[in-house]
Amino acid sequence: MGNILALDIGGSKLLCGIVSESGEILAKALAEFPDGYGLSELKTAVLKTALPLAKAFSPDRAGAAIPGLCDPKRGLWVYAPKTGIRDFDIKSFVSEEFRLPLYIENDVNACAVGEKRFGVCRGVDDYLWVTVSTGIGGSIFSGGKLLTGSCGNAGEIGHVKVVPSGRKCGCGGLGCLEAEASGSAIAAKYLERTGKKLSAKQIAGLAKNGDGESAGLYREAGYLIGTALACAANLLNPECAVLGGGVAMDFPLLLPGIQSALGSGLFSAANPRFSVIQTGLGYDAALLGAAALAL
């Protein structure tokens, strides 16, 4: 078996890589879209960024982590709310341009598959994978298999309601976890409380340097994440929940709130081993997940 061409397609970037069967990233190339992108811009970026890697390493298959809804069986990118891309036959596009078979999944599902293949869940059959980034998404492994649901959309923990009549979410609901505890939510709350516009990463930096307001926001976000995780654990009985995504890279800031929420919300007698841990794949979780799909 040869190397894999992996595509991590995000809301504002495209990360391409060549990954070995053992999970070693042999090369990477990044294209960024600070003002967003449409389908034509994405196609151009894939060719410009990934073709040189493919020519240099001659992969024999490809995998792609898709932001939004997709149909893995047909290789179809169904819909991405952020970009508006809809009904894109990405499998045919990559197959024709690169002469490679392509395997796709929703990006969070891909991360969960990557964690099973290369990360901290190699010996775990029942776990949740939750990405905490600009938004919040989730995936479920049960009995060693990805649980997809009737429409392929299982695991949407970001739309569990954690604050009654809370902040307006992009889905149209109120008080969703994504609207209350994502990176965007942390930044919005900080602006409301201090009048200063900072990113979640900048706020995390302040929290690490002892700023009480910033640390309090991360603890609050952690508590809400823990509340949703307790509900999911009580329902699904996983061994652990793995957190990834940009905000989760500052896992120690979230953990006190998470532990507090689990202390009051988890049915511990039924979930005696349940723990919340950080991804072992870091920022490359989706890239390695895309490779794992092809394997």
Side-chain angles (χ1 to χ4, degrees), residues 55-243:
K55 290 178 179 178
F57 289 90
S58 301
D60 63 7
R61 65 195 67 197
I66 305 297
L69 307 180
C70 70
D71 182 340
K73 291 183 179 179
R74 293 191 291 162
L76 187 68
W77 182 342
V78 177
Y79 178 57
K82 184 175 177 64
T83 63
I85 290 177
R86 184 187 296 271
D87 298 327
F88 172 35
D89 187 354
I90 188 170
K91 181 177 182 178
S92 294
F93 169 69
V94 170
S95 296
E96 291 169 5
E97 296 290 347
F98 292 82
R99 297 292 187 264
L100 296 173
L102 175 72
Y103 304 87
I104 72 169
E105 250 297 357
N106 163 268
D107 49 3
V108 185
N109 285 350
C111 289
V113 174
E115 203 73 55
K116 177 71 170 169
R117 181 97 188 189
F118 303 123
V120 296
C121 291
R122 275 174 280 191
V124 181
D125 285 337
D126 298 271
Y127 61 94
L128 311 174
W129 208 99
V130 179
T131 182
V132 187
S133 187
T134 304
I136 295 179
S139 182
I140 304 164
F141 251 77
S142 181
K145 296 181 180 180
L146 185 66
L147 185 64
T148 56
S150 62
C151 300
N153 301 319
E156 286 290 352
I157 196 171
H159 300 288
V160 171
K161 305 299 184 283
V162 291
V163 178
S165 302
R167 305 172 70 87
K168 183 72 175 290
C169 181
C171 75
L174 297 175
C176 294
L177 182 63
E178 180 168 290
E180 300 287 348
S182 65
S184 297
I186 291 170
K189 290 179 180 181
Y190 187 83
L191 176 61
E192 291 168 2
R193 297 177 190 182
T194 68
K196 299 176 183 177
K197 188 174 182 179
L198 297 178
S199 68
K201 195 67 181 174
Q202 290 171 317
I203 297 166
L206 292 176
K208 293 172 187 176
N209 287 322
D211 181 70
E213 186 72 49
S214 302
L217 277 170
Y218 267 81
R219 183 180 177 89
E220 178 184 316
Y223 186 87
L224 296 173
I225 291 167
T227 299
L229 290 176
C231 292
N234 290 341
L235 184 65
L236 296 167
N237 192 218
E239 184 172 326
C240 64
V242 182
L243 298 193

